[in-house]
Each structure stands twice: as C-alpha cells, then as structure tokens.
C-alpha cells in the first residue's frame, strides 16, 4: 500500500487482476441481460401469435359475413 498526498492509502493491483475482476463483473451481467431478453422475446412471440390468430379469425368472420350478405 502506498500513501498519497492526503494521507489516504490506495491498493495497487496488477493489471491482470483488474482484467479478471472486470471479466467477473461483465460476463455475468451479459448472461443476465441475455436471459431476461430471451424470456421477454418468448413472451412477446406468444402474444404476437395470439394477435395473429385473432386477426385470422376476424378476417374469416368478415369474409363469411360478406358472403352471407351477397347471398341474401
């Protein structure tokens, strides 16, 4: 440890330790963000599939109504 002008001590770490500390923080963060993103995309896909099937059902109903109106 070395003292600086204000009397506070600092800890000097080798650059390799700093690099591994950085990796120890960044890699789990990336994994966590990826996991949350994957879950959000899966949820979004499920909702979009529901909207798509609802749209198809609505289009089918409108088509049947138009056919019934033409026949009458």
């Amino acid at each position: 440890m070395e003292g600086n002008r204000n009397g506070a001590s600092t800890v000097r770490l080798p650059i390799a330790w700093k690099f591994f500390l950085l990796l120890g923080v960044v890699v789990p963060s990336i994994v966590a963000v990826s996991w949350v993103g994957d879950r959000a995309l899966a949820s979004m896909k499920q909702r979009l599939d529901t909207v798509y099937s609802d749209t198809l059902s609505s289009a089918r109903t409108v088509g049947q109504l138009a056919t019934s109106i033409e026949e009458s």
Side-chain angles (χ1 to χ4, degrees), residues 37-64:
D38 184 49
R39 296 207 22 135
L41 285 175
S43 172
M44 176 98 41
K45 183 186 179 314
Q46 182 181 9
R47 284 185 274 165
L48 286 174
D49 287 345
T50 303
V51 169
Y52 181 71
S53 66
D54 186 44
T55 301
L56 287 178
S57 175
S58 297
R60 186 178 305 119
T61 302
V62 168
Q64 289 172 350

Side-chain angles (χ1 to χ4, degrees), residues 25-39:
V25 171
V26 170
V27 170
S29 299
I30 290 173
V31 170
V33 168
S34 299
W35 181 72
V36 170
D38 184 49
R39 296 207 22 135

Side-chain angles (χ1 to χ4, degrees), residues 60-70:
R60 186 178 305 119
T61 302
V62 168
Q64 289 172 350
L65 179 62
T67 303
S68 297
I69 290 173
E70 278 183 26

